[in-house]
Amino acid sequence: MVQPDTAPLNIYHALPKVELHRHLEGSLRLTTMLDIARSHGITIPASMLRLSGLVQIQDQDPLTFTNFLEKFKTLRLFYRSPDAIHRITREAVEDAARDNIRYMELRFTPVALSRAEGFPLHEVMDWVITSSQSAAKEFNIQVGLIASVNRHESPDLAEQVAWLAAQNIGRGLVGLDLAGNEAEFPSSPFVGVFKEARQAGLHITIHAGEWGPAANVREAIEVFNTERIGHGVRVIEDDAVTALAAERQTIFEVCITSNYQSGVVANLGRHPLASMLNQGIKATINTDDPSVSRITLSHEYQTANDLGLPLDVLKQCLLTSAEASFLPEAKRTQLVARLKKELSGLK
Ligand code: ADE
Ligand code: ZN
């Protein structure tokens, strides 16, 4: 297993889970990084321990978004060949299946995967689609793909990614995501791209209210007309935006440990998830970057329980995830029905 510090089989593992917010680039196994480094001549520290310091959050790390994003600079070194990308994708799907995730929306950043070797964007997208769909069959899990574009990168590239993603609806591509450095880059240059993506049949989700204020959540809802928001936890800093989100029933993809590690919340025990739910916000529980954070989705459910959410609320969050998935309607209905049945049998 990838995450050695995670508890083995327990109630949280036993929950049949749905993951809506997981980045492929934050899901690499350390052992795989070392293998790829060896076979592709990449100079990185040869020991797991030293490599871990570069790509995973450590106890002594500063809990800031800059430190968190810094890990992705090293992670970008490993996308050196179609085989490497195939392996990374396959293992991300395998790890999710082993954590008893039944449906996962895996997001990936084509621009990041193409950078190291200058691979064409359409080829990178094709590799991730092919590998994820064959791994989904192999490991008996359903996988939908979301293409991510970063705010700190060019809107022209985002447009290309959105266009390619739309071409691949029906081959596993279900959505488009705006990610990256929210603290220093606005989302306004991307409004047109996301509008067109929506018209082309892609679902959309926007990282907002993570490293930026509640006003960004309002913008995501009112200007982008987004269906889901990545994180969004800073919504609780503004009562009017909280009320707006609750009224619109916008889905929040909450990632507790990531929020703590990247400085969104100063104290893990004071994470606002319970307060968001109490104020009528539709929240789901997700990992964000399981390898960077050294967690599993089961671990995040356990953490939510530690925050005071009882099992029946956790089950409700799971159903919200299934209902908010970007699957085509018939498949979504099937997933919800299957989950309801299994959850009702779990005491
Ligand atoms: N890319 C990977 N993790 C991210 C996060 N938490 N916020 C924005 N972009 C990301
Ligand atoms: Zn994210």
Side-chain angles (χ1 to χ4, degrees):
M1 274 298 292
V2 210
Q3 289 87 7
D5 56 345
T6 307
L9 293 182
N10 59 30
I11 177 68
Y12 308 102
H13 185 276
L15 284 171
K17 287 173 291 297
V18 173
E19 166 86 283
L20 297 182
H21 189 132
R22 179 175 298 203
H23 296 262
L24 174 64
E25 298 80 25
S27 304
L28 276 67
R29 296 180 188 170
L30 275 184
T31 46
T32 298
M33 289 184 238
L34 286 175
D35 280 353
I36 294 175
R38 268 185 221 114
S39 58
H40 292 75
I42 307 170
T43 359
I44 48 150
S47 87
M48 295 263 273
L49 215 59
R50 290 200 41 227
L51 176 59
S52 170
L54 291 175
V55 294
Q56 298 182 316
I57 303 291
Q58 310 294 312
D59 289 344
Q60 68 276 17
D61 272 10
L63 300 176
T64 61
F65 80 89
T66 37
N67 180 65
F68 194 86
L69 279 180
E70 197 63 29
K71 309 289 177 190
F72 292 89
K73 293 190 183 150
T74 307
L75 285 165
R76 279 189 176 201
L77 299 174
F78 297 96
Y79 318 124
R80 284 302 169 87
S81 64
D83 275 354
I85 293 177
H86 170 74
R87 177 169 172 188
I88 288 165
T89 308
R90 179 177 175 278
E91 290 176 352
V93 172
E94 178 181 9
D95 291 342
R98 290 202 191 292
D99 193 29
N100 204 16
I101 294 176
R102 303 303 169 80
Y103 173 68
M104 168 168 67
E105 278 170 13
L106 183 62
R107 56 192 75 194
F108 68 108
T109 315
V111 170
L113 297 181
S114 77
R115 266 297 150 72
E117 295 290 334
F119 297 129
L121 289 173
H122 73 274
E123 291 201 14
V124 166
M125 201 173 277
D126 202 55
W127 298 333
V128 174
I129 292 171
T130 316
S131 318
S132 61
Q133 296 312 310
S134 73
K137 284 204 186 80
E138 183 181 351
F139 298 108
N140 193 24
I141 171 176
Q142 266 180 293
V143 176
L145 293 171
I146 296 177
S148 287
V149 294
N150 280 326
R151 291 164 182 261
H152 55 264
E153 291 172 327
S154 108
D156 284 348
L157 280 173
E159 172 125 38
Q160 287 179 47
V161 170
W163 188 82
L164 287 169
Q167 301 302 301
N168 285 294
I169 295 174
R171 293 184 69 217
L173 243 302
V174 293
L176 186 70
D177 163 48
L178 185 62
N181 183 346
E182 187 198 357
E184 292 166 330
F185 292 82
S187 57
S188 46
F190 299 89
V191 172
V193 174
F194 276 74
K195 192 168 176 203
E196 282 172 22
R198 196 81 190 267
Q199 283 162 354
L202 288 166
H203 291 278
I204 66 170
T205 174
I206 310 283
H207 280 72
E210 180 193 20
W211 301 323
N216 290 3
V217 174
R218 180 187 286 284
E219 183 190 33
I221 295 174
E222 291 187 333
V223 181
F224 282 80
N225 203 14
T226 194
E227 303 163 83
R228 300 195 330 221
I229 292 188
H231 305 279
V233 292
R234 288 186 58 188
V235 71
I236 45 133
E237 294 171 7
D238 186 318
D239 290 344
V241 186
T242 303
L244 173 75
E247 184 211 316
R248 297 279 185 99
Q249 296 283 280
T250 310
I251 305 298
F252 283 63
E253 303 158 357
V254 174
C255 311
I256 305 167
T257 299
S258 158
N259 289 163
Y260 174 64
Q261 293 177 339
S262 73
V264 180
V265 296
N267 183 329
L268 188 59
R270 297 229 190 97
H271 189 281
L273 173 59
S275 163
M276 290 166 74
L277 288 166
N278 287 336
Q279 294 183 70
I281 285 187
K282 287 243 175 196
T284 62
I285 298 168
N286 306 278
T287 56
D288 208 18
D289 298 292
S291 170
V292 173
S293 291
R294 306 207 257 179
I295 52 166
T296 60
L297 188 56
S298 297
H299 173 279
E300 291 303 273
Y301 272 83
Q302 184 159 14
T303 306
N305 182 251
D306 294 343
L307 289 174
L309 274 61
L311 188 59
D312 60 325
V313 175
L314 298 182
K315 287 181 178 177
Q316 186 49 56
C317 287
L318 261 171
L319 282 177
T320 303
S321 291
E323 285 159 3
S325 75
F326 289 159
L327 280 168
E329 196 179 337
K331 286 193 178 166
R332 189 172 61 235
T333 310
Q334 265 176 18
L335 177 69
V336 172
R338 184 175 147 210
L339 222 63
K340 265 191 186 147
K341 194 165 165 224
E342 281 195 57
L343 288 174
S344 67
L346 265 184
K347 296 283 178 245

